């Protein structure tokens, strides 16, 4: 089930539905949800890049996603407990 996360955006840089972060097995996919101001993705070892509206990218642990107004999402490595939940275990 999707989980919506509200973030502060005093300058209105973050759209109401801005970004989707989805884990697919061991991979994490970040998708811009046609946000107004976009998102900047910085994958370790690569230059920062702005996602186009609707664009998806597979990211690795250590990736930073700046969605604006000081809100930065840090993609962390999967832990053993995360792996068991992915398989449907409690």
């Amino acid at each position: 089930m999707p989980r919506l996360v509200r973030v502060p955006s005093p300058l209105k840089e973050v759209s109401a539905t801005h970004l989707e972060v989805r884990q697919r097995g061991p991979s994490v996919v970040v998708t811009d949800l046609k946000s107004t101001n976009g998102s900047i993705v910085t994958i370790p070892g690569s230059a920062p890049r702005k996602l186009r509206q609707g664009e998806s990218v597979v990211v690795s642990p250590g990736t930073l996603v700046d969605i604006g107004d000081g809100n930065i999402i840090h993609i962390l490595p999967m832990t053993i407990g995360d792996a068991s939940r992915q398989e449907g275990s409690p």
Side-chain angles (χ1 to χ4, degrees):
M1 293 295 296
R3 181 171 41 144
L4 299 177
V5 178
R6 181 173 290 195
V7 298
S9 185
L11 300 176
K12 308 292 186 216
E13 292 180 353
V14 181
S15 300
T17 53
H18 194 100
L19 186 80
E20 177 184 75
V21 179
R22 181 180 298 254
Q23 185 161 0
R24 296 190 182 229
S27 300
V28 175
V29 179
V30 174
T31 303
D32 179 272
L33 297 177
K34 300 184 180 174
S35 64
T36 303
N37 294 317
S39 303
I40 298 174
V41 176
T42 306
I43 297 172
S46 299
R49 68 182 269 249
K50 187 172 183 176
L51 291 180
R52 295 184 312 270
Q53 287 190 339
E55 181 180 9
S56 294
V57 63
V58 176
V59 298
S60 57
T63 295
L64 300 176
V65 184
D66 185 341
I67 62 172
D69 261 347
N71 295 290
I72 298 174
I73 299 166
H74 187 181
I75 305 299
L76 301 173
M78 186 178 352
T79 64
I80 293 172
D82 294 334
S84 65
R85 281 192 291 276
Q86 282 292 315
E87 297 169 6
S89 300

